[in-house]
Amino acid sequence: MQENTETDQQFTTIFETYYKRIYNYIAYRVSCRYTAEDLTSLVFEKTLSKLDSFSGEKAPFEVWLFAIARNVVNDYYRSRKRTRLFSLDTVMELVSGKKAPEDLLLEEERNTRLNHALNKLAVKERNVVALKFGAGLKNKEIALLTGISESNVGVILYRSMRKLKSEIGSVDEL
C-alpha cells in the first residue's frame, strides 16, 4: 500500500509539473485543442504505466517524458486517415467558445494562418519548433530528445522561423 501511495504522489507531481508543457507541445503538433487534450491524457496514461521502467542513467526524466509525447503524436498521425472533408473538432471548437462570433472568426483565421504556415514545415522542423515553443525545452534538451546536435537544433530553429516569417509575415499581422 505504501508503494502505491508513493507512486500516486510522484505521478501527481509529474502531472502538475509537466501537463501544460506537454499539452502545448502536442497542440503545436496537432492544431486542434480537443485532439491535443486527448493525446496529452494518453501521454500521462503511458507515463504512469511505464514509470517503473524509467532509468535516469539512460536520459533525464524530462527527455524521457517528451519522447513519450513525441511517440504518441507520431502514432496519432500514423493511425489518422488521410482524407477528411472537414474537421469536426474545428467546428466543435468554434461552437463551444464563449467569445463573440466575430472574435472567434478572427482567432480561427489567425490559427488557420499559423497552422498553414506550420504545416509547410518539414516534420522534423515542426517537431523542433513544437519542442522549443510548445514545450519550452532548451536546445540542449531538444538535441538529447531528437538525437541531433545542439548546433543543428539552433540551425533548424533559425531556418524554421525564417520560413514561418516569410509565410505569415510579422506576428502583428496575425
Side-chain angles (χ1 to χ4, degrees):
M1 189 71 172
Q2 178 72 21
E3 185 179 310
N4 197 18
T5 304
E6 282 181 35
T7 302
D8 290 348
Q9 289 174 341
Q10 184 181 19
F11 181 74
T12 300
T13 302
I14 292 166
F15 184 84
E16 290 172 352
T17 303
Y18 291 102
Y19 178 84
K20 186 172 182 166
R21 290 174 62 200
I22 294 290
Y23 172 81
N24 287 340
Y25 164 70
I26 293 173
Y28 264 78
R29 297 280 315 273
V30 299
S31 311
C32 173
R33 186 181 79 196
Y34 298 108
T35 303
E37 289 170 356
D38 290 345
L39 294 178
T40 301
S41 294
L42 186 57
V43 167
F44 285 102
E45 286 176 31
K46 289 184 180 237
T47 300
L48 181 59
S49 69
K50 297 178 179 188
L51 200 52
D52 58 345
S53 69
F54 168 70
S55 169
E57 295 169 6
K58 293 181 184 175
F61 180 78
E62 193 169 79
V63 171
W64 178 77
L65 181 61
F66 278 97
I68 292 172
R70 183 188 62 200
N71 291 337
V72 165
V73 171
N74 290 343
D75 290 347
Y76 163 76
Y77 278 117
R78 271 188 221 109
S79 67
R80 190 173 160 218
K81 293 179 183 170
R82 291 288 175 203
T83 56
R84 290 187 315 177
L85 297 176
F86 65 94
S87 169
L88 187 58
D89 290 332
T90 303
V91 173
M92 286 175 57
E93 201 158 307
L94 276 173
V95 174
S96 71
K98 304 271 190 264
K99 298 177 182 178
E102 304 84 28
D103 294 336
L104 283 172
L105 287 173
L106 287 173
E107 187 175 319
E108 180 65 21
E109 184 180 325
R110 280 191 299 271
N111 288 342
T112 300
R113 286 180 65 198
L114 179 59
N115 286 326
H116 179 72
L118 285 168
N119 284 332
K120 289 198 172 199
L121 297 177
V123 173
K124 184 177 190 178
E125 293 169 327
R126 187 169 180 167
N127 189 43
V128 170
V129 168
L131 288 167
K132 180 69 172 184
F133 299 105
L137 294 179
K138 295 177 177 82
N139 290 7
K140 185 176 184 175
E141 295 166 322
I142 296 170
L144 275 171
L145 182 59
T146 59
I148 57 179
S149 71
E150 189 175 346
S151 60
N152 196 6
V153 168
V155 169
I156 291 169
L157 283 169
Y158 175 75
R159 289 180 180 162
S160 298
M161 298 315 292
R162 279 188 31 202
K163 287 179 186 178
L164 289 173
K165 186 175 181 180
S166 72
E167 189 65 34
I168 59 176
S170 72
V171 175
D172 297 333
E173 292 176 33
L174 275 179

